[in-house]
Amino acid sequence: MRPPILAGAVLLTLLAATAFFGLRYWQDRQSVSFAIEHDRQVLETLDRLRTIIIDLDGERRGYLLTLDPSYLKAYGVSDENARREIQGLQALVAGDPLQSLRATHLALIVSAKLREIDEMVKTAVGTSGLAALAMIRAMDDIRTQIDLMADHERYLLVDRERRADALDQRRTWLVAAAVIIITAFAVMALVLARLEANRRRKATDENIQLYSDIEERDRKIRRLFDSNIIGIIIWEIEGHIFEANDAFLRIVGYDREDLAAGRLHRMELTPPEWHDLDARNVASLKVQGIMNPFEKEYFRKDGTRIPVMIGGAMFGENSNQGVGFVLDLTGLKRAEAEARENERRYREALLELAHANRVSTLGQLTASIAHEISQPIAAVVTNAQAGLDWLGAEPPNLEQVRQTLGYIVSDGMRASEVIDRIRALIKKAPPKKESLQINKTVLEVTALTRGEVLKNRVAVRTQLEDGLPPVQADRVQLQQVLLNLIINAIEAMRAVAEGSRQLLITTARDGAGSIVVSLRDTGTGLDPKEADRLFEAFYTTKAEGMGMGLAICRSIVEAHGGRLWATANEPRGAIFQFSLPLEPVEAIPTGHASLTSRGPYLPRS
């Protein structure tokens, strides 16, 4: 609408300018017309005065030549007319200094000549005709003066008529401009009328569309309400429910009669322990106009409870009514309970499987374990025999006996520690997190596998970073991970020539706030074709394997918030690494970790 408004303003400005110039034209034209009329009156007066002077001249000549008294009567009339016309002429030219001066001069001349005529008439009998005629010629001065005034007035009249013609031409332009402006106004009025008609038609169409959209929205809302997919209620902020669909009535076990009788109220449907939460959500609803979904319980008509999720919104800022959406969570809660039970069973099965894996692994280390136990027992026997010898000496060497008994106690404690570690690995017990020194755990596991390492002629080296902070982990599960990885590395190097079987175990702290344990072997290496299956459950490349070792290891590490992965070693072999976070991590049940997760791992061939 801005261009029409701008055009209207321009046209109004032009119209005002035209009106101003028209008023100026009218004023100028009135002034010029008055001046022209004035000039014409002056000329007419001069013409009458000239005629009177001519009459006076003729009357005077006739009397002086004939001395006929009849000329004197006419002369008296002409004399009076002359005086009257001269007075009128003076009044007409009073505004023109030059003409006023000339009129005054003319009046004086005429007055003087009339006195001369009077004297001439009185002495006409004794005067000769020639002398009288000489005096008559003096009237030419009056006619000359009248001609001068008439010429001046004619000049002024011509100039004013020229101005009048210019003003008439200006009038033509003003009329043309007024016609153009009026036409433009008419066109603009037509355009504005059309625009207004279009605006009203558009507004009408929009209103029709709006009403149609409202009706369509109402139909959709009614369709949603009647579809009974979820429970829908319309309530007052105080809690009275005055409209509900069948889905909600089925949830709470009421019927339409109960709804019509006003028996449904939020406070009566809500158990007492949920009242505080309800009050907070209603307060938030009053302020924000919406109520975010939250879980609660309803009393059914039969007194039982049903879990629901409810959310809602107010109809308007100043309204005390709103709509609520209620979802029955019975099926979801049942599914969650079944999932928790399945998870519990899964964890128990996984713990059984991990225990079986530990027992199976320890079975492979029977010789190594027997060696670890037999060494301190043999030392105990030897030291006991030496002690008896020292007691049998004369005199008995009690100091040597005391030292020998100390050796026996130390060897017994060493054997007891080995047995305790084995018992912990074999015993079925729930996971228990504790603060562990990772380097100490590595050394304990390498001690258990010393016999297997010697039997397979593997050179084991450790590079353990000093000053590592403790980690929160289950000792038995962490030992199981290390035990599995060491046994896998030893088995992978059996096909390699003796002298080149090397296993390097390192611990270090990385920049991500974790401790990384690495095991580098020089075995047969990894097969890139089986990259996605290395950590899958029940996948193995060993004829006697179950395919659960690496899957269980990865599950244990991930349950501790860490990560287990494998890469190729150069020039041959494989590198298995796992990380454990330094910060305590909320214990995750072993069963939560996937046994089939995929990552950038390469399986052992």
Side-chain angles (χ1 to χ4, degrees):
M1 292 296 292
R2 293 187 64 184
I5 293 175
L6 182 60
V10 172
L11 289 176
L12 285 174
T13 303
L14 293 176
L15 183 61
T18 304
F20 172 75
F21 287 117
L23 179 62
R24 289 286 304 274
Y25 160 77
W26 182 79
Q27 293 174 345
D28 292 345
R29 191 70 177 84
Q30 290 291 325
S31 176
V32 170
S33 297
F34 178 77
I36 291 174
E37 183 63 26
H38 176 268
D39 290 342
R40 287 175 179 171
Q41 289 178 1
V42 172
L43 288 173
E44 289 175 357
T45 302
L46 288 173
D47 288 341
R48 287 194 302 271
L49 185 58
R50 184 184 291 108
T51 302
I52 291 171
I53 295 301
I54 292 173
D55 291 341
L56 280 173
D57 185 48
E59 293 169 358
R60 186 179 55 181
R61 285 175 183 272
Y63 176 74
L64 291 177
L65 291 176
T66 63
L67 296 178
D68 185 356
S70 61
Y71 287 103
L72 294 178
K73 183 178 181 180
Y75 164 75
V77 174
S78 298
D79 181 51
E80 184 63 27
N81 290 337
R83 285 188 177 90
R84 188 171 58 250
E85 292 296 337
I86 287 175
Q87 289 177 357
L89 179 63
Q90 286 180 318
L92 287 174
V93 298
D96 188 341
L98 180 60
Q99 290 291 75
S100 178
L101 181 62
R102 286 174 178 172
T104 302
H105 180 64
L106 179 60
L108 292 175
I109 294 175
V110 170
S111 178
K113 292 301 180 184
L114 290 177
R115 283 194 300 271
E116 289 179 4
I117 290 174
D118 290 338
E119 292 296 331
M120 194 180 301
V121 170
K122 292 177 182 179
T123 59
V125 177
T127 305
S128 64
L130 293 174
L133 291 174
M135 293 180 65
I136 292 171
R137 293 190 187 96
M139 296 295 286
D140 293 340
D141 293 338
I142 296 174
R143 286 193 293 271
T144 301
Q145 193 68 27
I146 290 173
D147 291 339
L148 286 173
M149 292 185 69
D151 291 341
H152 181 74
E153 287 299 328
R154 288 190 187 94
Y155 172 78
L156 292 176
L157 179 61
V158 170
D159 181 63
R160 284 164 179 158
E161 286 178 346
R162 186 168 55 251
R163 286 184 60 194
D165 292 339
L167 288 173
D168 290 342
Q169 187 176 7
R170 187 194 301 177
R171 180 187 64 186
T172 303
W173 283 104
L174 287 173
V175 170
V179 170
I180 292 173
I181 292 173
I182 292 172
T183 303
F185 263 113
V187 172
M188 187 182 72
L190 180 61
V191 170
L192 289 176
R194 293 185 65 116
L195 289 175
E196 180 64 17
N198 291 335
R199 186 190 67 80
R200 291 186 177 182
R201 184 169 58 253
K202 183 178 179 181
T204 302
D205 294 341
E206 289 178 351
N207 288 336
I208 293 173
Q209 183 64 37
L210 179 61
Y211 292 144
S212 177
D213 292 343
I214 292 175
E215 291 178 357
E216 180 63 23
R217 185 179 62 184
D218 289 342
R219 284 195 297 270
K220 290 180 179 178
I221 293 175
R222 175 52 61 181
R223 193 177 303 118
L224 174 63
F225 194 85
D226 296 338
S227 64
N228 295 312
I229 297 174
I230 62 173
I232 301 177
I233 56 175
I234 299 176
W235 37 256
E236 294 177 345
I237 196 68
E238 292 80 10
H240 173 62
I241 300 173
F242 58 87
E243 184 59 70
N245 65 349
D246 293 339
F248 178 77
L249 295 177
R250 284 197 300 269
I251 291 174
V252 295
Y254 287 84
D255 53 29
R256 290 285 168 187
E257 293 181 0
D258 298 320
L259 180 64
R263 299 191 185 99
L264 274 70
H265 196 281
R266 184 183 69 245
M267 297 298 292
E268 296 176 359
L269 291 174
T270 304
E273 63 268 23
W274 295 97
H275 285 177
D276 290 342
L277 178 60
D278 257 13
R280 290 195 299 271
N281 285 315
V282 169
S284 175
L285 178 64
K286 291 179 180 179
V287 175
Q288 300 179 1
I290 60 172
M291 181 168 61
N292 294 324
F294 68 98
E295 293 186 17
K296 60 177 289 185
E297 288 182 329
Y298 273 148
F299 278 131
R300 289 174 56 84
K301 188 176 181 179
D302 58 8
T304 60
R305 296 191 180 198
I306 184 170
V308 296
M309 176 178 288
I310 182 171
M314 301 298 294
F315 284 138
E317 293 182 359
N318 299 323
S319 175
N320 66 338
Q321 297 180 354
V323 61
F325 302 93
V326 182
L327 182 63
D328 184 359
L329 299 181
T330 303
L332 179 62
K333 295 298 182 181
R334 185 183 300 116
E336 289 179 351
E338 292 177 355
R340 286 193 296 270
E341 179 62 21
N342 292 335
E343 182 69 19
R344 185 188 63 79
R345 294 175 181 176
Y346 177 77
R347 287 198 303 270
E348 289 179 356
L350 193 61
L351 288 175
E352 291 287 345
L353 190 59
H355 176 259
N357 177 259
R358 291 197 299 272
V359 173
S360 174
T361 304
L362 289 175
Q364 301 179 42
L365 299 177
T366 303
S368 176
I369 293 172
H371 175 72
E372 289 296 316
I373 296 176
S374 62
Q375 274 190 336
I377 291 176
V380 167
V381 173
T382 302
N383 288 321
Q385 186 63 46
L388 290 174
D389 292 341
W390 290 114
L391 286 174
E394 289 295 338
N397 192 338
L398 297 180
E399 182 61 31
Q400 288 294 334
V401 171
R402 186 180 296 107
Q403 185 177 1
T404 301
L405 290 176
Y407 292 152
I408 293 173
V409 171
S410 176
D411 291 333
M413 291 297 293
R414 187 154 63 94
S416 176
E417 289 176 359
V418 173
I419 293 172
D420 287 342
R421 287 198 295 270
I422 295 171
R423 182 186 295 114
L425 285 170
I426 295 176
K427 183 176 62 176
K428 290 193 295 183
K432 179 183 177 182
K433 293 287 184 69
E434 58 181 308
S435 181
L436 298 179
Q437 293 291 339
I438 191 67
N439 290 347
K440 181 178 179 182
T441 305
V442 170
L443 293 176
E444 289 175 350
V445 175
T446 54
L448 283 176
T449 59
R450 186 179 296 114
E452 192 71 12
V453 166
L454 294 175
K455 183 177 70 175
N456 289 277
R457 291 180 173 81
V458 175
V460 177
R461 293 185 299 116
T462 57
Q463 293 180 358
L464 309 180
E465 183 176 323
D466 295 331
L468 290 178
V471 295
Q472 289 290 323
D474 181 89
R475 180 185 299 274
V476 173
Q477 289 185 346
L478 193 55
Q479 288 177 341
Q480 181 177 356
V481 171
L482 289 167
L483 193 60
N484 271 281
L485 295 179
I486 291 174
I487 294 300
N488 284 347
I490 293 173
E491 291 177 348
M493 290 185 286
R494 286 176 180 171
V496 178
E498 296 183 9
S500 58
R501 302 173 184 174
Q502 298 180 6
L503 174 61
L504 175 62
I505 304 175
T506 63
T507 59
R509 185 171 181 172
D510 67 0
S514 300
I515 292 178
V516 178
V517 181
S518 301
L519 293 90
R520 302 169 180 265
D521 65 58
T522 57
T524 55
L526 305 174
D527 184 2
K529 295 180 181 180
E530 302 295 335
D532 294 335
R533 305 191 60 192
L534 179 59
F535 292 94
E536 289 182 5
F538 305 109
Y539 172 77
T540 182
T541 57
K542 297 181 290 185
E544 70 280 4
M546 293 189 301
M548 292 300 297
L550 290 178
I552 292 174
C553 289
R554 186 178 186 187
S555 176
I556 291 173
V557 172
E558 289 182 350
H560 285 76
R563 189 167 69 94
L564 172 63
W565 69 98
T567 56
N569 192 16
E570 296 296 338
R572 71 173 185 272
I575 304 174
F576 282 81
Q577 302 179 82
F578 65 90
S579 63
L580 295 173
L582 293 176
E583 295 296 330
V585 178
E586 184 69 23
I588 303 175
T590 304
H592 281 192
S594 172
L595 298 182
T596 59
S597 300
R598 292 187 297 273
Y601 310 123
L602 300 175
R604 184 183 303 279
S605 59

